[in-house]
């Protein structure tokens, strides 16, 4: 039976619930095993340090890294900040140019904006192709003698498109540029091998993979090339000097366990979630006219669907499907009144950006829930289209682009 | 953000959704907003050409819950009012009635604009009709 005491959670690109197995692994470190992992002279410290090192191995294993190359942080926003600010500081003799994509997460974009404002970096923000993927020829052409880092996310948080990471890695190696990828959405969902993909720096978040919030990691390559990043927080010199601060042992243990589970279930979950997501897509597209998928369907995370329903507005739509927890690229859901910058960068018109809904299926999503989501979405879209002046005009054969609208914003 | 009960009520049970004959001289149509801004409201008023009283009102809205609720409420408010009384309705009355938060005030502004646009359209039609009558008399 479907439990409708709370909305069905289909927003797993925003955050995921903590897996009970992860909580179980964390519990001792939230209670009696409270030692400081940096305490070298008693067993409290030793047992915490041991737990941290096991987690470091678990994290490293899933991305094909060496445990020594993993540093723990408070989350991916911090990881992104260390990667970019740390590289600009450390490699200032070599250059000051960063290349990134317009569809990156704000943790990357806003960090780049700050570096530009402070006058320490120049940044190229490349537009993605219509399908959300980077144009490799444009990327290569943007590289200059001053380029020190290319920062391109592995998979996008809104549209779920997976970038050609291996090709980007090869490009970076060829031009002797560091490759940083924010892999928050991709870790545990698609296979990652930092050596095969020639990734130099990679950001990880705990709460996107059924781990706890407030914990993340950064992979920093140690050889071929040896990457060094200046820390952005001063203190005790923890984590090879790149991230001072007492280690969050329970969070780290949770992240390690979450990575281990994600690795074990990666293959079976990919098959299951792809099937459920495609069912959702196919049913919506067959039951409703004028639905548009945002971003590549071919290069996409298994559980993600981002779809625009023409003639209805996203926030109004979400209100009509209040038994579903989803998100929208509509302006009305943000404080800025601007629709999603990611959809805009893809060239999706503002009108369709306002009409977009992101479904994020996850580990605990069932087929029954997906069927319910289809039903609720079709019902709400149909109801709102009957109420929509745009739908009425389109049905009457009026070209909405030819209409002189009154702009009120 | 949580919606007020009144917004939810208007959203779930919108009053007077529909269309009136746009060609009818007694019908004023106001379409305001823009798709790229995320809201478009169409408000239509059937106005008694002799008494100037609004006898019917219909709306269709593309927008968020607050935009739908604002236009639904407007159709209820204007019915039975004279054109002049309806023209004087202020967006602040809608904000108060629906308990709209600051980020949704623009929805009420748009609804006020819709009333004014619909009345302007009605007046334009009436004026054109009067001109035609004058022309016919002169001929």
């Amino acid at each position: 039976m479907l439990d409708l005491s709370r909305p069905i959670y289909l927003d797993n690109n925003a955050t995921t619930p903590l897996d009970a197995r992860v909580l179980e692994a964390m519990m001792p470190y939230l209670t009696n095993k409270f030692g400081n992992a940096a305490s070298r002279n008693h067993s409290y410290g030793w047992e915490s340090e041991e737990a941290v090192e096991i987690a470091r191995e678990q994290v490293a294993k899933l991305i094909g890294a060496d445990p020594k190359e993993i540093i723990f942080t408070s989350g991916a926003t911090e990881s992104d900040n260390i990667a970019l600010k740390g590289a600009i500081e450390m490699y200032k003799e070599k250059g000051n140019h960063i290349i990134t994509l317009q569809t990156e997460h704000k943790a990357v974009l806003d960090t780049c904006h700050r570096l530009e404002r402070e006058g320490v970096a120049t940044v190229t923000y490349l537009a993605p192709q219509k399908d959300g993927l980077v144009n490799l020829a444009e990327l290569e052409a943007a590289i200059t003698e001053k380029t020190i880092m290319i920062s391109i996310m592995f998979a996008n948080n809104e549209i779920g498109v997976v970038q050609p990471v291996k090709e980007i890695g090869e490009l970076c190696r060829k031009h002797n540029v560091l490759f940083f990828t924010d892999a928050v959405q991709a870790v545990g969902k698609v296979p990652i091998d930092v050596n095969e993909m020639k990734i130099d720096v990679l950001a990880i978040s705990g709460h996107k993979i059924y781990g706890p919030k407030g914990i993340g990691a950064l992979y920093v390559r140690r050889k071929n090339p040896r990457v060094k990043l200046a820390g952005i927080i001063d203190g005790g010199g923890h984590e090879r000097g790149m991230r001072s601060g007492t280690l969050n042992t329970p969070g780290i243990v949770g992240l390690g366990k979450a990575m281990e589970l994600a690795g074990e279930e990666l293959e079976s979950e990919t098959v299951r979630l792809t099937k459920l997501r495609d069912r959702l897509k196919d049913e919506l597209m067959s039951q409703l006219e004028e639905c548009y998928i945002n971003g590549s369907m071919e290069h996409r995370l298994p559980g993600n669907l981002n779809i625009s329903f023409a003639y209805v507005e996203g926030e109004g739509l979400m209100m009509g499907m209040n038994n579903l927890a989803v998100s929208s690229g509509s302006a009305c859901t943000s404080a800025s009144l601007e629709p999603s910058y990611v959809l805009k960068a893809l060239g999706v018109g503002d009108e369709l950006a306002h009409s977009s809904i992101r479904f994020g299926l996850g580990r605990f999503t069932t087929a029954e829930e997906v069927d319910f989501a289809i039903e609720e979405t079709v019902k709400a879209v149909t109801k709102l289209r009957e109420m929509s002046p745009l739908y009425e005009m389109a049905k009457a054969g009026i070209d909405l682009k030819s209409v002189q609208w009154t702009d009120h914003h | 953000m949580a919606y007020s009960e009144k917004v939810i009520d208007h959203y779930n049970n919108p009053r007077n959704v529909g269309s009136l004959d746009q060609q009818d001289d007694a019908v004023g149509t106001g379409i305001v907003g823009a798709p790229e801004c995320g809201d478009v409201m169409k408000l239509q008023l059937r106005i008694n050409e002799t008494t100037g009283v609004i006898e019917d009102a219909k709306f269709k809205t593309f927008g968020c819950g607050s935009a739908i609720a604002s236009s639904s409420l407007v159709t209820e408010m204007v019915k039975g009012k004279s054109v002049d009384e309806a023209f004087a309705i202020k967006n602040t009355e809608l904000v108060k009635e629906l308990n709209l938060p600051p980020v949704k005030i623009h929805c009420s502004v748009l609804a006020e604009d819709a009333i004014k646009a619909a009345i302007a359209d009605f007046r334009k039609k009436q004026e054109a009709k009067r001109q035609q009558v004058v022309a016919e008399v002169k001929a």
Side-chain angles (χ1 to χ4, degrees), chain A residues 31-62:
Chain A
T31 50
N32 61 335
K33 295 186 176 179
F34 60 84
N36 186 328
S39 294
R40 290 282 156 79
N41 34 16
H42 49 67
S43 59
Y44 292 90
W46 301 333
E47 67 188 7
S48 288
E49 191 193 10
E50 194 194 345
V52 166
E53 294 318 312
I54 290 170
R56 211 184 290 281
E57 282 171 28
Q58 290 166 322
V59 172
K61 193 180 168 205
L62 187 57

Side-chain angles (χ1 to χ4, degrees), chain A residues 281-299:
Chain A
K281 172 183 72 89
D282 294 342
E283 282 299 316
L284 291 176
M285 306 270 297
S286 71
Q287 294 186 40
L288 293 165
E289 57 184 330
E290 296 212 55
C291 306
Y292 303 94
I293 304 284
N294 298 308
S296 166
M297 215 48 227
E298 187 188 346
H299 303 280

Side-chain angles (χ1 to χ4, degrees), chain A residues 311-313 315-317 319-321 331-332 335 337 339 350-351 354-355 380 383-390 392-393 400 405-409, chain B residues 1 3 7-8 11-14 17 19 31-42 59-65 68 103-104 106 110 113:
Chain A
Y311 317 122
V312 299
E313 192 275 335
E315 189 190 343
L317 180 56
M319 199 174 162
M321 33 197 232
C332 289
L337 291 179
D350 279 3
E351 174 195 339
H354 280 293
S355 304
K383 177 185 163 178
L384 286 180
R385 280 185 176 170
E386 277 161 20
M387 219 190 279
S388 165
L390 304 180
E392 183 181 58
M393 290 162 100
L400 295 179
W405 301 103
T406 63
D407 197 339
H408 68 289
H409 280 149
Chain B
M1 182 182 48
Y3 294 98
V7 169
I8 293 171
Y11 179 89
N12 287 333
N13 313 292
V17 175
S19 298
I31 300 177
V32 293
E36 52 271 24
C37 299
D39 350 64
V40 176
M41 288 181 190
K42 186 187 81 167
F59 86 96
K60 284 204 173 189
T61 289
F62 162 84
C64 65
I68 290 170
V103 294
K104 295 298 180 189
H106 71 274
L110 200 61
D113 290 350

